[in-house]
Amino acid sequence: MSSSVRGRTSSYRAVVKMVSAAAAHLLLVLVFVSVNLIPTTPVLDERPVQAAERGVGRALGKSRKRVFPAPHTLEPNPITEAYSFCNTPNRTEQAWEGHSPADYKLLSVQVMIRHGDRYPLYYIPKTKRPAIDCTLSISRKPSHPLLNPFIHHMGQGGRGHWESPLGSVPRLPNHSACEMGELTQTGVVQHLRSGQLLHQAYKRHNFLPSDWAPRQVWVETTGKSRTLQSGLAFLYGLLPDFDWTKLTTRHQWSTLFCGSACDCPARNRFLEEEQKRQYRLRVSDTELERTYSDMARTLGLLTRQLRAANPIDSLLCHLCHGISFPCVPTGDGTGGCLTMAQFAVIRRQQLDDEADRRRVGLYHKYAILAMYPYLNRTAAKMERVAKDNEAGRQRRAGGEEVFSLSSAHDVTMAPLLSALGVEEARFPRFAARVVFELWKSPAAVQGPPKKRAGKGEKSKARDGELFIRVLYNGEDVTFHTTFCRSHDRHASQPLCPLRNFLSFVRRDMFSVVNATSYQEACYRRPG
């Protein structure tokens, strides 16, 4: 089904948010709207495009999907949105990564991915678990030309370097009956495709040499098998047959990737307030309450038992894998089933929740404090790479980190998008990606014009300027970010200056919580 959807707002959420840096998840769903972006030719997957997907692209003048669907008066279709969340790898993918004005040099790329398709985290009582095989086989769909060599390469992973406890985590999904939360073959293929797509997008830029040094590649992941395996699949698509001996895979204990800067009392307070808002909205929705009661009655459960099982998580898995919704036998021997209409009611309420979330703004404040540590590390890496590329400067031995990969969760990527100000983007689907690119313009020549220069006079070359691009699922969203929304993209410099991003991360982003620094924002007493 096409991912292009018409609606005033397009989104969906799977409920579960993190109570603190180490607490359990609560899927939050983001909503989003569309615009025309930089008109350059994207890198396309070579698989044919389905006609339904091409239709919208032709109407827009470009054959590409959008992370911001155009606003209309019609209500969004929650079922269609759910299918786009699945991100089934049976359609053309595209990448606007790697595009810039002529002669600009790509200095570094930093990527955050969400793990690929996974088995449900929750089980609906009294129902049969979805029958999905989580072993990998090239004879099972979806498959990929890189799948077999990827499986073989993972068998050599003992030669790599692993931060504890990652060395004991399996590098491939390996259960014939999937375990809860396990990455599926679909999830592996999603990331092989994404990595290969970026390989094609960046190969002409040579920002990462073929003989890259260990220091130049940074890979980090949470301790879940689905994030580790997703990161390895993405990396293999980007760097086929990479040298294990050069690779160190680092562990992030927090889903916020906040490292040693995770302690922030104010962030936790904002999250608690946001969860209270979410709860109040949900219990006031009489249609949702009635739907949960009907579902519970069908299954022979108490309503509170059904709620605790978070049925949307399991139903999404059924939908994404083309499996009928759960049924149970009834007294007359006919049986009762959960329905698509009930599923749609839950998705509709998630859309309402998203609109209210943006209106109230508590989540955005939480996101700013949750993602500052990651954004600050991103900015610091860019600064180091930029310094290493200054004209006339001798490069550091072993180089700087020109490629970084963070394999994460929806509860990592959703606040990242909010913190950047990309509030209207679609909720992170399976295998979603956010990419930060650092670019340098050609050196500018200063001094007297060539025809008037006297003997001995030399023109001086001024070092090139630095710019940033931010992309979400292959679309350039730089001019939707808080730090570059007001930049005139039609000016002499059509890219966003890096200094805008640095100023945002180091100071400006804290204005929404009436502070000037992370320390002040986190520890100032409320009131």
Side-chain angles (χ1 to χ4, degrees), residues 331-351:
D332 58 8
T334 56
C337 302
L338 302 184
T339 68
M340 191 68 80
Q342 293 166 335
F343 176 83
V345 169
I346 302 175
R347 303 297 286 177
R348 186 273 310 157
Q349 193 277 334
Q350 291 174 336
L351 293 174

Side-chain angles (χ1 to χ4, degrees), residues 465-520:
E465 297 182 59
L466 299 167
F467 301 92
I468 184 175
R469 292 180 77 217
V470 182
L471 302 101
Y472 180 47
N473 293 337
E475 293 284 355
D476 189 332
V477 297
T478 311
F479 295 104
H480 296 278
T481 61
T482 302
F483 59 86
C484 224
R485 197 172 291 140
S486 60
H487 179 74
D488 184 2
R489 72 187 90 176
H490 302 295
S492 58
Q493 289 294 359
L495 298 186
C496 179
L498 176 64
R499 62 178 176 273
N500 288 27
F501 177 63
L502 298 179
S503 177
F504 171 74
V505 173
R506 303 287 159 72
R507 182 187 64 248
D508 300 343
M509 67 188 295
F510 302 111
S511 63
V512 298
V513 290
N514 298 316
T516 58
S517 70
Y518 183 62
Q519 189 79 5
E520 179 189 359

